[in-house]
Amino acid sequence: MQPQQFLDLVQCAFFESNTQRSSAEQVLLKYKDECPDEFMVYCAQAFSNRGIQNRIRVACSTLVKRLVGLIHPPSNQITWLACSQQTKNDVKLKFMEQLIDPENTIRRSAANTISEICAIELPRQEWPDLISRLTTNSKHTDILIKVSAIMTLGYICEALKTHQSSGISEQDSKVILMGICVGMDLNEQTLEIRLTAIKALQDSLYFMNNLFKQQEIFTYVKNLILSNAICNIQEVKHKALQCLIDFVKQLFTFLPAFINELFQTTQASFENQGEISIAAIEIWNTICAEMKEEITQNGNQQTPESNAVDCCVQFFKKNYEGFLLPFMRNLLLDSGDVDDEYQGLSVPDSSCKGLAFIIDFAGVNTYELVKNFIQNTLTHQQWEYRKASVMAFGALAEVQTKEIEILIKSALSNLFTCLIDQHYKVKKATAQTLSRVAENYPQCFHEHDQANHMLATLLDQLNNKISIVQHLIWVFVYLTEQLQLFSNSIFNREKFTILQHLASTSVRADIKNSEIALIDTAFMAILNIIYSVTDTKLCNDYLIQFFQQIQLLESGTQVPAEIKYHLEMGLMSAMHGCVVRLDDSTTPESVFESIMNTLSNVDSRVKNDYFYVLSGIAYAFKKKLSKYSSQLIGELNKPLSEPDDMESFKTALFCLADIARAMEEEFVPYMNILNYFFGLIKNPNFNRELKLQVYNAIADIILGLKEKSFQFLGDLKEILKLGFAASMDLTKSQQNVDQDYAERLKETMTSFYTCILHAYCEPNIPNFDLRDTVDWFIIFCTEMCSLKLKPTIEYVRLTLCCIFDCSHFFQTVPEMKIKLKDFITSDFVIELIRKMSQFNDKDYQECVSFAKQLLNDVYGFQLKLY
């Protein structure tokens, strides 16, 4: 390919119409795979050529950034590593040269692509002089060089974070940090350098935790960022406050050392400063969110994080007025304008969120202050005050305590008066607040003595503006979630009336494409109602109604395409909710046939939802299904043959597995599809996330077929061994993404092996062809369930159950019984059982009881848990 041809393809791939673009993209991807060196050189040459349009130059840089990390199929390694050293050196040199290009977009693009290459090379100890060169340039007298160096350092940190790579030494981290901090110096006069350095610090925080353990470094950086956060230059102040949001998140455990300074720095920015106020408030919202997460994850354990939580709680209890008063005053502002376009936030929204957090952590002392604010503003003549009152009520409803429940019950009927307020923004804020109350205090609706009036008002207001109705629909979602707990509630007794109103709302003619989420939300509430129905006749009636609505949509009714798509998705989900409560005896054959014929012709965009309904049909109508098996499997073949469309492939795979389980031995004519699945598992280039789903589908199919699929045992053992080996190899990887995948793979493989045992073994009738797999599993689980790896307790249970299955199926084989006894009575297994005994969950305790009985009855071993 000639350089000009290459540029023409880039032009077409990035800037032409869809048809031409797709074709050009495919040619470029093929060229990248066939000639990676030439591809990279052409990109670099074009990017460095100032005679070419900037947009083409940036497109070539973007190609390198996007493609260096993709797999190069011929060599089965990433594309960058498939290139020669000469090519890599040439590309890096040309991109480095563009860091001083006169155009900012080119410099930024160069820094971005260099960072992506760094994310590959630095963990391999390649490009060793880059960090030192950039940090040297961060002190350069030439402003252009200085800005580019600092910006690139930040992008490198961001790229390493995106790749979840830890491949950067502590010394390099220190050099990067000091290079960035040079640009944040208060004496730095160039605004672009200050702003670039603050952003670079924000990007680098991911790597700096260990460095900040050095008191001198932590104090220096902390003082620097806090000083920038009170700068008189508004852009610097805003950027520094935004950086502090990430700073407090990454350095949460350091908060006790500077929480007072942080409060003094940010307090003056809480009010009257638009996006600066949002950033200041969001710093504290981030701290509170981290506190909630820490409490959820670690409970009462004593850790540096829990110490930080305790410190923050005490600080909020002592200083709550310094937060609540400005936050509540902010609620008086008009929230119609978004002050921070990037995050889509307004000052009142951010303040309302902060208000809820402070009420939660400062506790009961705050209630009176907030209650007085609500009472003093709820009936005020100015609408801004009424809206502020409603928002404060919503913040209160985010916190779940008995005292707040009493407050809400006593004031809920007053809140409904604001739902019929004359001012739109009061109504909208009220609808939002009612959804919060319904989510956290549904009993306040269900048990209220004015519940009848409330329901009537809510149903009537479904005719209001869509922007208000969107929130009211959520009220119904939350109130219908656990209807069985409120059998006497008007919302339970009138649930079919509610369903009809929701259905009518979902087909309102004034719903715009930007408001389509309302349809999806309405069907969430409809599904909740369906799930609360136990009467099969009612389920069957609703099934027919939903099906008839699909027929109507498919008959050519004039409904906008996007609206029709979402309606059909919702109707499909509702049909699924109905069919799983039915069986072959409930639905007449003629109706079933009509349903099957209509569903198979729905809009291709809802095929995935159609397959979802088919899964439910397979579960419910096992006898009726057989007649349509050829048709259904024929329809599934297309998405199953196109795994590049991951969502369709997965949905079709689940559907096929459900059909196979339902059909059992009647699936025999179609079981050769297993050969296709074996090929996918064995293909090293096949998407590894999808492999997990393929393993699960194979397991379902063989469980349905049992001995009828025995001819595939050789392939099953082969992919079992492959999965075991891959799990153990990936666990040793230094890459977090590999380790995360290994966790999911080991769970999949343990379940897969359990299914193989249940498919081909019977108690006291061992399958001798599977004896060797027990040895493989013992090696696998000894390594993968080692308590040193801190496996989840659920994985411990899964492993123990599989071990017990091995014992169950092979204990009558003399040599196997001895081997299994040695393993099951080993310290490894005993420690797993003891670990499980520490958890009170019913399933875990039953597993422990079974283990004690098995050890005693079969192996004569007395288990001591302590």
Side-chain angles (χ1 to χ4, degrees):
M1 186 182 294
Q2 296 302 308
Q4 188 56 50
Q5 287 177 282
F6 180 81
L7 290 178
D8 290 342
L9 280 170
V10 173
Q11 164 84 24
C12 193
F14 279 82
F15 307 110
E16 298 300 332
S17 66
N18 289 340
T19 306
Q20 293 173 305
R21 180 182 300 169
S22 178
S23 175
E25 286 173 351
Q26 293 307 311
V27 173
L28 284 172
L29 286 172
K30 185 178 179 185
Y31 185 46
K32 181 265 297 182
D33 290 340
E34 292 177 352
C35 309
D37 286 276
E38 195 169 281
F39 181 93
M40 290 296 171
V41 168
Y42 279 173
C43 283
Q45 287 175 344
F47 183 60
S48 62
N49 186 347
R50 295 181 186 176
I52 295 175
Q53 287 182 4
N54 280 351
R55 69 174 191 166
I56 300 293
R57 293 174 68 190
V58 171
C60 288
S61 174
T62 302
L63 276 175
V64 176
K65 175 179 164 60
R66 287 179 184 171
L67 300 180
V68 287
L70 293 185
I71 290 293
H72 177 245
S75 63
N76 197 31
Q77 58 184 336
I78 60 175
T79 299
W80 183 250
L81 299 181
C83 295
S84 69
Q85 192 59 50
Q86 181 63 47
T87 295
K88 290 191 279 190
N89 290 342
D90 289 347
V91 170
K92 289 189 289 188
L93 178 62
K94 291 195 181 306
F95 275 89
M96 287 293 288
E97 288 171 347
Q98 303 321 302
L99 287 176
I100 55 170
D101 190 279
E103 292 287 342
N104 183 49
T105 54
I106 300 297
R107 296 197 303 273
R108 193 171 294 278
S109 185
N112 245 314
T113 301
I114 287 167
S115 71
E116 199 68 23
I117 295 170
C118 276
I120 297 169
E121 293 209 339
L122 287 182
R124 293 175 168 80
Q125 283 74 54
E126 297 170 2
W127 212 348
D129 64 331
L130 177 67
I131 300 299
S132 58
R133 285 170 61 189
L134 290 171
T135 48
T136 299
N137 285 344
S138 72
K139 305 175 185 69
H140 207 282
T141 53
D142 187 310
I143 290 175
L144 201 60
I145 295 174
K146 188 171 183 177
V147 169
S148 293
I150 293 171
M151 176 171 61
T152 307
L153 287 170
Y155 279 150
I156 288 170
C157 293
E158 187 176 30
L160 287 166
K161 177 182 176 181
T162 301
H163 287 267
Q164 295 187 315
S165 171
S166 55
I168 185 166
S169 68
E170 184 171 317
Q171 181 56 35
D172 278 344
S173 296
K174 186 180 292 187
V175 171
I176 289 173
L177 182 61
M178 293 304 115
I180 289 170
C181 287
V182 166
M184 292 175 61
D185 192 280
L186 300 183
N187 295 317
E188 176 57 64
Q189 297 300 307
T190 306
L191 179 61
E192 187 180 4
I193 290 175
R194 287 275 288 278
L195 296 176
T196 302
I198 294 169
K199 178 65 170 69
L201 175 66
Q202 192 172 0
D203 292 335
S204 72
L205 291 170
Y206 176 73
F207 297 100
M208 302 303 172
N209 271 20
N210 286 334
L211 280 185
F212 286 127
K213 290 176 183 174
Q214 300 175 36
Q215 185 64 40
E216 186 179 346
I217 291 177
F218 169 70
T219 302
Y220 172 67
V221 177
K222 178 257 297 179
N223 289 342
L224 199 56
I225 188 65
L226 290 178
S227 298
N228 275 277
I230 54 173
C231 175
N232 291 326
I233 303 170
Q234 295 297 291
E235 296 99 318
V236 172
K237 183 177 186 177
H238 182 226
K239 190 68 76 175
L241 288 168
Q242 285 184 316
C243 180
L244 277 168
I245 294 172
D246 284 349
F247 192 83
V248 298
K249 183 179 178 67
Q250 288 292 337
L251 303 172
F252 180 70
T253 57
F254 292 77
L255 271 171
F258 72 105
I259 192 167
N260 286 296
E261 289 176 272
L262 183 65
F263 184 55
Q264 290 162 13
T265 300
T266 56
Q267 189 179 21
S269 299
F270 284 163
E271 295 182 84
N272 305 319
Q273 297 180 57
E275 63 182 6
I276 287 177
S277 292
I278 290 174
I281 295 166
E282 285 302 315
I283 291 168
W284 294 96
N285 288 348
T286 300
I287 289 171
C288 292
E290 288 295 303
M291 292 167 67
K292 273 190 171 295
E293 186 174 342
E294 169 59 26
I295 291 168
T296 301
Q297 287 184 351
N298 294 319
N300 296 321
Q301 294 181 37
Q302 281 299 309
T303 62
E305 288 79 10
S306 67
N307 292 337
V309 170
D310 292 342
C311 167
C312 292
V313 168
Q314 293 309 312
F315 180 82
F316 288 139
K317 286 183 175 179
K318 189 182 296 185
N319 298 281
Y320 66 86
E321 287 190 1
F323 293 96
L324 294 190
L325 294 175
F327 288 1
M328 288 192 293
R329 285 194 293 267
N330 282 342
L331 299 183
L332 294 165
L333 300 174
D334 186 353
S335 57
D337 300 320
V338 171
D339 298 298
D340 186 330
E341 292 186 6
Y342 178 72
Q343 297 186 76
L345 293 172
S346 68
V347 173
D349 290 337
S350 210
S351 299
C352 189
K353 183 167 65 168
L355 190 60
F357 277 134
I358 303 302
I359 293 169
D360 192 8
F361 288 117
V364 68
N365 291 336
T366 64
Y367 299 171
E368 196 63 27
L369 190 61
V370 178
K371 177 185 168 185
N372 289 338
F373 177 83
I374 293 170
Q375 288 176 336
N376 292 335
T377 53
L378 189 61
T379 57
H380 201 281
Q381 287 187 341
Q382 290 179 248
W383 70 266
E384 292 91 346
Y385 284 79
R386 298 196 301 277
K387 185 213 66 163
S389 180
V390 167
M391 291 185 77
F393 197 111
L396 205 59
E398 293 282 9
V399 183
Q400 293 175 280
T401 69
K402 197 65 185 173
E403 294 90 340
I404 290 178
E405 181 182 349
I406 294 168
L407 286 174
I408 287 175
K409 271 188 177 175
S410 64
L412 190 56
S413 57
N414 293 329
L415 189 62
F416 267 82
T417 63
C418 293
L419 188 59
I420 54 174
D421 195 278
Q422 294 302 305
H423 201 283
Y424 161 73
K425 290 184 179 178
V426 178
K427 283 185 175 183
K428 184 178 177 183
T430 305
Q432 287 175 298
T433 291
L434 286 172
S435 70
R436 290 178 179 176
V437 176
E439 180 181 12
N440 294 319
Y441 294 97
Q443 67 275 20
C444 289
F445 287 87
H446 290 295
E447 298 169 357
H448 204 284
D449 57 9
Q450 294 187 39
N452 289 24
H453 171 70
M454 291 176 181
L455 174 59
T457 305
L458 288 169
L459 292 176
D460 180 60
Q461 289 300 311
L462 288 179
N463 296 311
N464 217 309
K465 291 182 178 180
I466 295 294
S467 54
I468 292 172
V469 173
Q470 284 174 322
H471 299 292
L472 295 180
I473 294 289
W474 278 108
V475 174
F476 286 111
V477 171
Y478 296 128
L479 294 183
T480 55
E481 273 183 346
Q482 294 183 308
L483 283 175
Q484 68 277 11
L485 299 181
F486 304 98
S487 57
N488 295 321
S489 165
I490 187 68
F491 294 93
N492 194 3
R493 299 198 307 273
E494 295 296 330
K495 59 187 172 187
F496 302 118
T497 303
I498 295 171
L499 189 151
Q500 295 296 338
H501 277 77
L502 292 170
S504 300
T505 303
S506 70
V507 293
R508 276 178 52 164
D510 58 340
I511 297 175
K512 300 172 185 172
N513 280 359
S514 59
E515 299 163 334
I516 277 177
L518 179 146
I519 297 173
D520 302 334
T521 312
F523 275 99
M524 288 171 64
I526 288 171
L527 272 172
N528 286 342
I529 294 171
I530 294 296
Y531 291 147
S532 73
V533 176
T534 54
D535 185 327
T536 54
K537 184 182 182 306
L538 268 176
C539 284
N540 195 60
D541 290 345
Y542 277 115
L543 172 66
I544 293 170
Q545 286 186 40
F546 294 138
F547 153 65
Q548 288 171 343
Q549 285 300 312
I550 290 179
Q551 274 187 317
L552 191 63
L553 287 168
E554 288 298 324
S555 67
T557 306
Q558 293 302 306
V559 178
E562 279 300 305
I563 302 288
K564 176 188 174 189
Y565 170 51
H566 282 263
L567 282 171
E568 288 196 343
M569 280 200 301
L571 287 164
M572 292 281 191
S573 296
M575 286 185 68
H576 181 273
C578 291
V579 297
V580 294
R581 283 162 173 70
L582 303 175
D583 57 43
D584 284 298
S585 66
T586 55
T587 306
E589 185 65 43
S590 58
V591 173
F592 185 77
E593 184 174 342
S594 185
I595 289 173
M596 295 301 293
N597 291 337
T598 299
L599 292 185
S600 63
N601 294 312
V602 292
D603 187 323
S604 60
R605 291 189 303 169
V606 293
K607 278 292 181 183
N608 286 354
D609 302 275
Y610 163 53
F611 294 146
Y612 178 57
V613 176
L614 283 185
S615 291
I617 287 172
Y619 172 82
F621 303 117
K622 295 180 181 179
K623 292 178 183 175
K624 288 185 172 67
L625 189 68
S626 306
K627 178 180 174 182
Y628 300 91
S629 57
S630 296
Q631 171 196 328
L632 299 180
I633 290 168
E635 291 176 8
L636 291 169
N637 279 336
K638 186 176 186 297
L640 287 174
S641 65
E642 298 173 349
D644 287 344
D645 183 351
M646 289 178 62
E647 282 309 306
S648 293
F649 178 85
K650 283 196 289 187
T651 309
L653 194 64
F654 295 148
C655 183
L656 180 77
D658 287 336
I659 289 172
R661 284 290 293 271
M663 291 179 67
E664 296 180 338
E665 293 183 5
E666 291 182 9
F667 191 76
V668 167
Y670 314 105
M671 68 182 180
N672 281 335
I673 198 169
L674 286 169
N675 289 321
Y676 171 62
F677 293 151
F678 296 145
L680 295 179
I681 295 289
K682 295 172 188 177
N683 180 355
N685 296 322
F686 183 63
N687 183 291
R688 68 181 187 179
E689 293 294 336
L690 290 182
K691 283 187 180 183
L692 301 179
Q693 313 306 331
V694 175
Y695 270 115
N696 291 333
I698 293 171
D700 278 335
I701 292 169
I702 63 170
L703 277 175
L705 290 167
K706 292 193 178 288
E707 69 275 1
K708 295 290 184 181
S709 62
F710 194 72
Q711 67 193 69
F712 300 104
L713 190 59
D715 287 298
L716 289 166
K717 288 172 67 174
E718 185 180 349
I719 65 170
L720 176 71
K721 204 168 189 177
L722 281 173
F724 282 168
S727 297
M728 292 187 284
D729 287 344
L730 288 168
T731 299
K732 297 166 187 162
S733 170
Q734 297 302 307
Q735 298 291 325
N736 290 342
V737 286
D738 287 342
Q739 293 175 6
D740 290 343
Y741 179 75
E743 286 295 304
R744 298 196 300 283
L745 180 58
K746 74 181 185 183
E747 292 174 3
T748 299
M749 295 316 303
T750 305
S751 296
F752 182 68
Y753 183 52
T754 302
C755 290
I756 289 177
L757 293 176
H758 283 266
Y760 301 118
C761 296
E762 295 287 343
N764 303 318
I765 311 176
N767 186 318
F768 289 94
D769 292 295
L770 286 171
R771 280 184 300 179
D772 51 349
T773 64
V774 178
D775 293 325
W776 306 345
F777 177 66
I778 288 173
I779 294 169
F780 169 76
C781 73
T782 302
E783 186 162 332
M784 300 306 293
C785 204
S786 167
L787 293 180
K788 292 178 183 176
L789 295 178
K790 298 182 179 178
T792 65
I793 194 62
E794 182 55 28
Y795 183 63
V796 171
R797 187 192 68 81
L798 192 65
T799 299
L800 285 172
C801 288
C802 195
I803 291 170
F804 300 154
D805 281 337
C806 289
S807 169
H808 185 57
F809 292 125
F810 290 99
Q811 62 181 277
T812 58
V813 183
E815 69 272 22
M816 294 297 292
K817 183 172 182 177
I818 294 169
K819 183 180 295 185
L820 284 165
K821 179 179 180 179
D822 291 343
F823 178 56
I824 290 177
T825 59
S826 67
D827 289 344
F828 168 75
V829 175
I830 299 304
E831 285 304 313
L832 292 183
I833 298 169
R834 286 174 178 158
K835 180 73 175 175
M836 177 156 294
S837 70
Q838 298 170 15
F839 293 80
N840 293 325
D841 183 90
K842 181 172 176 268
D843 288 343
Y844 301 151
Q845 288 302 316
E846 285 179 357
C847 186
V848 172
S849 297
F850 182 84
K852 290 169 71 175
Q853 185 177 350
L854 175 74
L855 287 164
N856 183 66
D857 295 353
V858 177
Y859 301 109
F861 183 90
Q862 295 292 318
L863 174 64
K864 295 180 180 178
L865 293 176
Y866 304 101

